[in-house]
Amino acid sequence: MADEPQKKPHLSALVGHTNGLTKPASLAATATRSTGGGGGGATASSKKLVIKNFRERPKLPDNYTQDTWQKLHEAVGAIQSSTSIKYNLEELYQAVENLCSYKVSATLYKQLRQVCEEHVKAQILQFREYPFVMHRSDSLDSLLFLKKINKCWQDHCRQMIMIRSIFLFLDRTYVLQNSVLPSIWDMGLELFRNHIISDKQVQTKTIDGILLLIERERNGEAVDRSLLRSLLSMLSDLQVYKESFEQRFLEETNCLYAAEGQRLMQEREVPEYLHHVNKRLEEEGDRVITYLDHSTQKPLIACVEKQLLGEHLSAILQKGLDSLLDENRISDLTQTYQLFSRVKGGQQILLQHWSEYIKNFGTTIVVNPEKDKDMVQELLDFKDKVDHIIEVCFQKNEKFINLMKESFETFINKRPNKPAELIAKYVDSKLRAGNKEATDEELERILDKIMIIFRFIHGKDVFEAFYKKDLAKRLLVGKSASVDAEKSMLSKLKHECGAAFTSKLEGMFKDMELSKDVMVQFKQYMQNQSDPGNIDLTVNILTMGYWPTYTPMEVHLNSEMIKLQEVFKTFYLGKHSGRKLQWQTTLGHAVLKAEFKEGKKEFQVSLFQTLVLLMFNEGDEFSFEEIKMATGVEDSELRRTLQSLACGKARVLIKNPKGKDVEDGDKFIFNGDFKHKLFRIKINQIQMKETVEEQVSTTERVFQDRQYQIDAAIVRIMKMRKTLGHNLLVSELYNQLKFPVKPGDLKKRIESLIDRDYMERDKDNPNQYHYVA
């Protein structure tokens, strides 16, 4: 018969001996073999694996908990005393896990806390024994104390990390499941906070020491920044940073910079002071990065900004902004803008002073009549300067741009009409032939800049009047440097002021173009004449409404000129019947051929100069009275003409007696010995220079035109409204009129229209007007 396997009882296998504890196997296996029935031999059958629970939980050996804790206690003590641990760390970890598996976790946590607390309590003694000198001036004593507290903290952190690594299983199971309990690390922080840092003397000494180090660093001394970083990090970790340190730190910072701001504002110039403020802000920003808690950044920087900037905004600007702007100190202005932008209300006060500076500086340019000669160039330079400052220093801030425009408009109109007149003359100087200062591109840029200044002017009609007069001279005397530049300026004015503003100016150009066509036809007409004559005549036909008003002057032309005039008149009126031609002798000019001992010359002269010089074909000497009688030129005009011929650089005539001014009785002799390096000589046309009378008459014409415009506007408004109160009428007029006007002037025009029966006052209410149809 086959051997029957021995039947085994259920067994609890004990494996994994650790610290005398037998770890229960989780499974017990039983192998059985089925046997056959009756006395015959057993038949083999398949094996079955049956898994059953333990009948009872294995128990811990006696004194296991106590012995294990003793080992753990020794290990913790070794860590705290910085000596070597007798046991393997893995073995200790396993011991904690075993204890936790048998519900000893609560006791274990309590025991661990107690051991740690006793150790931390013992640490306070070293600080209590430490001499407490309450004078912050004793920096050496303070520094030693800080190093000691820092070492204690570093040791504590290192110890708690080691302890936690051993008791990790406890931390991740029992502590994690009990929300009320702090983790082992947090427990360590709590103990250190409660027993060391919360001690009044230790905390005071620590904070005083930290503040003393920071104060020394602010005074320029080198300090141990890593020590500061470690201590402040400790305060943050212990959650006492804000209450114990930050509040006192900010108070002391406030006091320091308040005193420093007051002192340095007295001692230093503005650029130096601002440089110091910037340096301080950078230093404090660096402190935040290096050792302060990040949460301190906002209140700290705000404190520095308030005490060094916010309290002195007006004083800084009053003391130094004007000189910075006068000297164009770009980097200092940039720093001013950047610093003022950091402070609440800083930009606003900078804006106010910026505006005041522009108004004051601009007023000195505009109001002083002695500066009239250079006014426009100074305005352009000033505008370039402020534009550059806005772009580079003020970061193209729209508020600064808009206020600059308002300020320019304010000061440039403090002196009515004159800036408009001078701008027109400046444009004339740039567009006139002989202006070699600029290329076409540069000229275009100059015109663009002038248009910007032009926009600020209220009395644009004054500009138009002077511009039209100067344009007429350029076109008629052929002095225009470039037709393209002229038309470019015209298009700029049209874009700025509308088509009505430039319609007459455009008409002037049209007249010049039509005149060229007429002259082509006239030359063909003259070729068909039997006696074409030896004078080459060019005529410009001007439409009276487009051009400035010229006073006609009757002069005595020679017979050839008169004959030629009549030929042209016949030719022109033959093509345009019903038109009337009026000759403007003041605008005429000619080219004369002359012979001297040195040889032949050509003179480019005005018509009046031509009439005087032609007399010397009949004789060599004439008196002033004889010339006046023969030419018929008006007295003052003749004196200027003779002055140009006898007292200028090209002296074709010799005046007797010599002198700069032409007096009655002066005699003039033809200068046969005249010499000049050029063949064609242009003799300055003194009569074309603008006189004071011309300026006054131009301005008066503008005022006269304004009266007509005011009258037309009043009638237009009243015709539409029928009845209107005085104030409403005046308000409507201000909206419609494009030039500055005083209320008194408007009242005069209203009275004038009432007298002329265009409107009438209400019988019951004198401030009410009715339109008279």
Side-chain angles (χ1 to χ4, degrees):
M1 117 182 219
D3 293 331
E4 185 178 0
Q6 185 181 349
K7 189 173 182 180
K8 294 179 182 177
H10 296 297
L11 296 174
S12 292
L14 291 172
V15 294
H17 296 275
T18 310
N19 295 329
L21 171 68
T22 53
K23 186 176 179 183
S26 56
L27 300 172
T30 305
T32 61
R33 177 178 289 179
S34 301
T35 55
T43 58
S45 67
S46 61
K47 293 178 181 179
K48 283 187 178 178
L49 186 67
V50 179
I51 299 169
K52 294 187 178 180
N53 292 330
F54 291 116
R55 286 180 181 172
E56 59 183 45
R57 183 182 176 87
K59 291 181 181 178
L60 289 171
D62 294 340
N63 297 328
Y64 176 77
T65 305
Q66 190 177 347
D67 294 345
T68 306
W69 166 244
Q70 189 59 40
K71 287 182 180 180
L72 292 168
H73 189 189
E74 285 175 25
V76 170
I79 291 169
Q80 289 172 340
S81 61
S82 298
T83 55
S84 60
I85 305 168
K86 294 178 184 176
Y87 310 100
N88 183 290
L89 289 176
E90 193 177 344
E91 187 181 327
L92 294 171
Y93 179 90
Q94 192 67 58
V96 173
E97 187 177 340
N98 290 337
L99 288 175
C100 290
S101 300
Y102 280 87
K103 309 292 183 187
V104 193
S105 302
T107 310
L108 185 60
Y109 182 82
K110 193 174 177 183
Q111 287 171 322
L112 176 62
R113 182 184 175 96
Q114 190 177 348
V115 171
C116 291
E117 190 165 13
E118 285 169 2
H119 175 72
V120 172
K121 277 182 178 177
Q123 298 301 307
I124 195 72
L125 297 174
Q126 63 177 315
F127 301 113
R128 287 203 173 130
E129 290 166 4
Y130 200 86
F132 277 81
V133 182
M134 297 313 288
H135 300 291
R136 282 182 58 185
S137 57
D138 190 353
S139 57
L140 183 63
D141 170 59
S142 177
L143 184 62
L144 292 171
F145 178 85
L146 290 180
K147 285 182 176 176
K148 194 152 193 146
I149 198 86
N150 184 51
K151 184 177 185 307
C152 178
W153 165 249
Q154 296 294 344
D155 290 346
H156 176 76
C157 290
R158 183 174 42 75
Q159 290 160 14
M160 290 311 298
I161 289 167
M162 286 286 288
I163 291 167
R164 182 176 176 269
S165 67
I166 292 171
F167 288 85
L168 192 62
F169 192 84
L170 175 71
D171 208 28
R172 287 185 175 172
T173 54
Y174 172 72
V175 176
L176 205 60
Q177 290 157 12
N178 288 268
S179 57
V180 183
L181 295 176
S183 68
I184 293 171
W185 174 258
D186 288 344
M187 175 192 75
L189 295 179
E190 187 183 302
L191 294 173
F192 197 90
R193 178 171 61 244
N194 293 343
H195 298 294
I196 294 182
I197 287 300
S198 291
D199 182 274
K200 191 174 180 184
Q201 285 184 318
V202 172
Q203 188 178 112
T204 304
K205 186 77 173 172
T206 304
I207 302 304
D208 280 352
I210 292 170
L211 292 173
L212 181 60
L213 274 186
I214 294 172
E215 184 184 314
R216 282 172 55 196
E217 189 185 42
R218 281 174 171 165
N219 290 335
E221 295 179 43
V223 298
D224 187 348
R225 287 184 141 206
S226 60
L227 176 63
L228 280 171
R229 182 165 57 245
S230 178
L231 289 169
L232 291 169
S233 175
M234 170 189 81
L235 296 178
S236 289
D237 291 345
L238 297 175
Q239 296 178 339
V240 294
Y241 177 88
K242 278 198 177 299
E243 62 192 59
S244 67
F245 168 77
E246 188 178 81
Q247 192 176 349
R248 273 193 64 193
F249 170 68
L250 291 174
E251 284 169 6
E252 295 210 0
T253 302
N254 208 48
C255 293
L256 169 75
Y257 286 127
E260 186 172 278
Q262 293 287 349
R263 178 171 54 82
L264 294 181
M265 271 302 293
Q266 301 296 323
E267 294 175 4
R268 298 192 179 183
E269 292 300 316
V270 168
E272 293 170 13
Y273 181 78
L274 292 175
H275 181 71
H276 176 78
V277 174
N278 205 46
K279 182 166 161 265
R280 282 302 202 191
L281 285 166
E282 285 174 0
E283 286 173 3
E284 297 303 337
D286 183 52
R287 272 183 198 103
V288 173
I289 294 167
T290 309
Y291 54 76
L292 293 172
D293 190 83
H294 186 69
S295 63
T296 309
Q297 181 175 15
K298 200 171 180 181
L300 172 61
I301 299 301
C303 170
V304 181
E305 288 171 350
K306 180 177 183 292
Q307 294 304 338
L308 293 184
L309 283 172
E311 298 292 328
H312 309 286
L313 292 175
S314 291
I316 290 168
L317 296 176
Q318 284 166 7
K319 186 177 179 182
L321 182 66
D322 285 7
S323 62
L324 294 183
L325 289 166
D326 285 340
E327 295 164 26
N328 208 25
R329 293 174 62 169
I330 298 298
S331 59
D332 292 329
L333 287 167
T334 305
Q335 190 170 65
T336 305
Y337 175 79
Q338 289 170 350
L339 290 173
F340 273 62
S341 297
R342 300 177 71 136
V343 186
K344 187 179 179 183
Q347 262 196 23
Q348 193 56 42
I349 198 164
L350 181 58
L351 272 167
Q352 290 166 11
H353 281 77
W354 166 245
S355 174
E356 285 305 311
Y357 173 80
I358 293 173
K359 287 176 190 172
N360 294 337
F361 191 91
T363 303
T364 60
I365 297 172
V366 170
V367 173
N368 187 356
E370 292 175 8
K371 287 192 172 185
D372 283 359
K373 187 180 176 185
D374 302 316
M375 182 200 288
V376 180
Q377 189 57 54
E378 284 190 27
L379 284 174
L380 290 172
D381 293 342
F382 184 47
K383 180 67 171 55
D384 284 345
K385 176 180 167 179
V386 296
D387 283 346
H388 183 66
I389 289 169
I390 287 172
E391 185 176 349
V392 178
C393 308
F394 299 160
Q395 298 171 3
K396 300 180 184 176
N397 187 315
E398 281 293 323
K399 290 179 182 175
F400 283 84
I401 294 171
N402 294 334
L403 197 60
M404 176 269 290
K405 290 176 181 175
E406 288 173 24
S407 304
F408 259 81
E409 191 172 341
T410 302
F411 80 70
I412 212 166
N413 290 296
K414 279 188 176 178
R415 187 180 175 194
N417 307 321
K418 197 65 182 177
E421 175 192 331
L422 293 174
I423 289 170
K425 289 178 179 173
Y426 185 85
V427 175
D428 176 55
S429 73
K430 295 298 174 189
L431 293 177
R432 206 184 295 156
N435 173 35
K436 296 172 184 174
E437 297 170 26
T439 61
D440 290 348
E441 293 79 11
E442 286 167 351
L443 181 59
E444 190 68 19
R445 275 200 298 274
I446 290 168
L447 295 179
D448 284 334
K449 286 179 181 179
I450 288 169
M451 287 308 298
I452 292 169
I453 301 292
F454 172 73
R455 283 188 195 113
F456 300 132
I457 290 170
H458 290 160
K460 291 183 171 62
D461 50 348
V462 175
F463 171 87
E464 184 199 7
F466 281 95
Y467 183 80
K468 184 164 80 171
K469 187 162 65 65
D470 292 333
L471 174 63
K473 285 182 184 179
R474 291 198 299 276
L475 294 177
L476 295 175
V477 187
K479 278 192 171 183
S480 186
S482 158
V483 176
D484 290 340
E486 293 282 7
K487 291 193 173 175
S488 170
M489 185 64 190
L490 206 59
S491 71
K492 291 181 201 299
L493 289 169
K494 190 173 185 177
H495 181 263
E496 187 65 34
C497 305
F501 186 85
T502 56
S503 60
K504 289 181 180 179
L505 303 176
E506 288 171 335
M508 291 163 72
F509 279 97
K510 193 180 287 183
D511 279 352
M512 295 304 289
E513 287 166 12
L514 288 172
S515 296
K516 285 178 186 174
D517 296 340
V518 170
M519 289 321 296
V520 170
Q521 295 168 11
F522 178 65
K523 281 182 170 45
Q524 290 173 350
Y525 174 81
M526 287 299 288
Q527 285 170 4
N528 298 328
Q529 297 293 308
S530 55
D531 181 16
N534 57 1
I535 299 176
D536 187 8
L537 177 68
T538 303
V539 181
N540 290 314
I541 301 99
L542 317 179
T543 307
M544 285 189 76
Y546 295 157
W547 296 76
T549 306
Y550 299 108
T551 308
M553 190 184 293
E554 291 295 330
V555 293
H556 304 151
L557 301 176
N558 64 23
S559 57
E560 255 189 293
M561 288 181 180
I562 293 168
K563 181 184 173 186
L564 210 49
Q565 272 188 344
E566 289 302 320
V567 171
F568 181 81
K569 188 175 180 182
T570 307
F571 158 76
Y572 186 77
L573 295 179
K575 286 184 171 293
H576 306 279
S577 58
R579 293 190 182 179
K580 184 184 175 186
L581 288 177
Q582 184 182 56
W583 295 91
Q584 293 289 351
T585 52
T586 53
L587 301 174
H589 56 95
V591 175
L592 290 181
K593 293 179 179 177
E595 287 189 25
F596 299 96
K597 290 176 183 177
E598 192 188 47
K600 292 183 179 181
K601 298 285 184 188
E602 284 187 2
F603 293 113
Q604 197 172 329
V605 286
S606 71
L607 180 61
F608 298 156
Q609 290 169 325
T610 303
L611 296 177
V612 171
L613 290 174
L614 288 176
M615 284 183 65
F616 288 87
N617 285 337
E618 310 299 326
D620 289 337
E621 183 178 328
F622 295 97
S623 68
F624 173 74
E625 287 73 19
E626 287 170 337
I627 295 171
K628 184 177 179 182
M629 182 72 68
T631 60
V633 178
E634 183 263 330
D635 189 279
S636 60
E637 195 69 56
L638 181 60
R639 288 178 195 273
R640 282 198 294 273
T641 301
L642 287 168
Q643 223 175 355
S644 68
L645 295 170
C647 308
K649 289 181 181 177
R651 300 188 179 186
V652 186
L653 304 180
I654 298 169
K655 186 170 88 72
N656 190 12
K658 291 181 178 180
K660 287 186 178 179
D661 297 321
V662 175
E663 306 292 345
D664 293 347
D666 284 357
K667 294 192 182 304
F668 295 88
I669 305 159
F670 181 71
N671 182 9
D673 297 325
F674 176 80
K675 292 180 180 180
H676 203 283
K677 61 181 179 181
L678 299 176
F679 173 69
R680 177 174 281 196
I681 302 134
K682 183 177 181 182
I683 299 176
N684 289 334
Q685 301 170 42
I686 291 176
Q687 90 285 357
M688 291 300 287
K689 286 188 178 176
E690 186 176 57
T691 61
V692 177
E693 293 81 10
E694 278 185 282
Q695 287 182 27
V696 172
S697 68
T698 304
T699 308
E700 282 176 356
R701 277 201 301 278
V702 170
F703 291 151
Q704 191 63 49
D705 288 345
R706 284 183 180 181
Q707 289 189 355
Y708 297 146
Q709 288 181 56
I710 294 169
D711 288 355
I714 293 170
V715 171
R716 196 164 52 243
I717 293 164
M718 291 306 300
K719 190 173 183 180
M720 187 169 64
R721 299 290 185 89
K722 304 301 181 193
T723 299
L724 203 59
H726 177 78
N727 290 340
L728 283 172
L729 175 59
V730 169
S731 173
E732 192 71 37
L733 283 168
Y734 277 125
N735 290 336
Q736 289 198 16
L737 297 172
K738 293 179 180 178
F739 48 82
V741 61
K742 295 174 185 172
D745 293 337
L746 292 180
K747 197 171 181 183
K748 283 179 189 174
R749 301 319 305 156
I750 291 168
E751 295 294 343
S752 170
L753 289 170
I754 290 171
D755 292 344
R756 288 180 281 159
D757 294 332
Y758 283 95
M759 54 197 282
E760 63 183 10
R761 286 187 195 277
D762 189 274
K763 288 172 184 175
D764 300 324
N765 182 1
N767 280 333
Q768 192 90 357
Y769 305 118
H770 301 291
Y771 176 67
V772 177

